[in-house]
Amino acid sequence: MGVTEDAAGPWLIAGLGNPGPGYAMNRHNVGFMVADLLAERTGGRFKRAAKAQAQVVEGRIGPPGPGSRRVVLVKPMSYMNLSGGPVNALREFYKVPPQRVVAVHDELDIDYGALRLKLGSGDNGHNGLKSLTGAFGRDYHRVRFGIGRPPGRMPVADFVLKDFSSAERKELDYFVDRAADAVECLVTEGLERAQSAYNA
């Protein structure tokens, strides 16, 4: 690890979702799914954080050697609407500036499985993002995982808290894997490169 990287400190990657087995396969929990896969890639296991209502894994992602980056993977255990408190507590503990925070979350306005990466902007009605922005501002990265719009007149709240359909589950592992790749690319190669490679 180089001196420059050490001085910059780790990236904080927050997968957004709701805790508990009843929510595990909900569309709203795709951020947790991506965080779980990234943890698996680091060889780490989520443990309860001492400093916040969250689970954390510390590790490295990216290619072995100087190209890898230190990361803190976070799953807030506060429920989606209150994600900002735990994420900000850990951000402050690890001394991570907002620009090195990545939120991975579901996005209604993008087709299922498509990705969009961006820095800053609004919350688009997403309560998890609203909570993060309220806690430490909007200048953090987002990896938006498309879940599409609800069918017919189904309320949005019902749609996001339903499990992925059987048809969607056939491709879910592939899309989660691709989202984890996008996070790694963002952290190791920068936003522009990641957008070029992964934005739909």
Side-chain angles (χ1 to χ4, degrees), residues 14 36 47 73 82 100 144:
D36 284 337
K47 296 178 182 175
L73 305 172
L82 301 172
R100 292 173 74 90
R144 305 161 72 200

Side-chain angles (χ1 to χ4, degrees), residues 17-57:
N18 288 309
Y23 295 101
M25 288 304 295
N26 286 183
R27 293 181 178 92
H28 223 20
N29 267 44
V30 74
F32 274 17
M33 297 173 198
V34 175
D36 284 337
L37 179 56
L38 287 167
E40 193 178 305
R41 291 181 181 184
T42 70
R45 297 183 66 175
F46 276 101
K47 296 178 182 175
R48 187 174 175 179
K51 303 292 179 183
Q53 191 179 356
Q55 292 184 353
V56 296
V57 172

Side-chain angles (χ1 to χ4, degrees), residues 37 55 68 77 83 88 90 99 108 130 137 153 184-185:
L37 179 56
Q55 292 184 353
S68 70
M77 293 287 113
S83 299
N88 195 44
L90 290 165
Q99 295 82 3
L108 287 160
K130 196 175 294 184
R153 297 185 178 181
E184 290 196 4
C185 184

